[in-house]
Amino acid sequence: MELRSVETSGDLHACFELMRELRPHLKTFEEFAERWSRQRLSGYRLVALMDGECAVALAGFRVQENLVHGRHLYVDDLVTRGSARGNGYGKVVMDELKAEARRLNCSKLALDTPSTNFRGHRFYYREGLAATAFRFAMDIG
């Protein structure tokens, strides 16, 4: 297993099917690559735990700053391959996110998760995260 930053098209290809487990609305690799490229312009980074050329867990994140949290590492995407859950791969990625937050002088690590993601909630609690807010949203347009 190797944890690495996703920088190349080949690495991105290796992450596509796993990202689709989390984000099934991404229908094509091209759409995923376009969004990844655009988001990188605002600091988005993607790391993947690779088993050979297969991504078994990944996280997309960026540094943000706001009045609520100050400077913090925001996790946009975090997923472990369904068939690989329970092997500690998510913990490896989460430990890297925590370390990266410290390296980048962030005061917090934050993420959003659906209220129905009970398995994820248990994982986040085990990792020391607390549920501190509700997120409200609506589609515009």
Side-chain angles (χ1 to χ4, degrees):
M1 294 288 171
E2 175 191 10
L3 186 64
R4 65 182 183 231
S5 182
V6 174
E7 302 292 335
T8 68
S9 179
D11 285 344
L12 197 62
H13 267 285
C15 293
F16 176 58
E17 288 304 320
L18 177 54
M19 184 63 84
R20 284 201 63 225
E21 286 188 29
L22 181 66
R23 309 286 183 224
H25 60 275
L26 297 173
K27 299 297 183 199
T28 66
F29 172 77
E30 291 74 23
E31 179 185 8
F32 174 48
E34 179 183 318
R35 288 184 182 209
W36 173 73
S37 294
R38 200 170 47 247
Q39 288 177 203
R40 287 182 79 188
L41 298 174
S42 63
Y44 178 83
R45 293 173 47 203
L46 191 59
V47 294
L49 184 62
M50 304 294 290
D51 183 5
E53 294 305 310
C54 178
V56 294
L58 63 77
F61 63 95
R62 66 186 84 221
V63 173
Q64 295 182 338
E65 187 164 350
N66 60 30
L67 296 174
V68 174
H69 300 297
R71 182 179 172 87
H72 63 283
L73 189 123
Y74 182 79
V75 181
D76 295 84
D77 312 295
L78 180 61
V79 63
T80 298
R81 187 171 302 284
S83 61
R85 290 187 183 137
N87 291 305
Y89 301 145
K91 180 167 180 37
V92 170
V93 173
M94 182 61 80
D95 287 348
E96 176 59 21
L97 293 171
K98 292 173 188 176
E100 186 67 5
R102 288 182 197 99
R103 282 191 291 272
L104 295 170
N105 297 313
C106 294
S107 61
K108 290 183 181 179
L109 182 147
L111 57 81
D112 293 317
T113 187
S115 58
T116 57
N117 183 12
F118 303 117
R119 190 172 185 167
H121 300 168
R122 287 191 303 272
F123 173 74
Y124 300 137
Y125 284 128
R126 277 195 316 268
E127 289 300 308
L129 282 79
T132 60
F134 290 103
R135 163 77 47 105
F136 292 89
M138 66 183 289
D139 289 334
I140 303 293

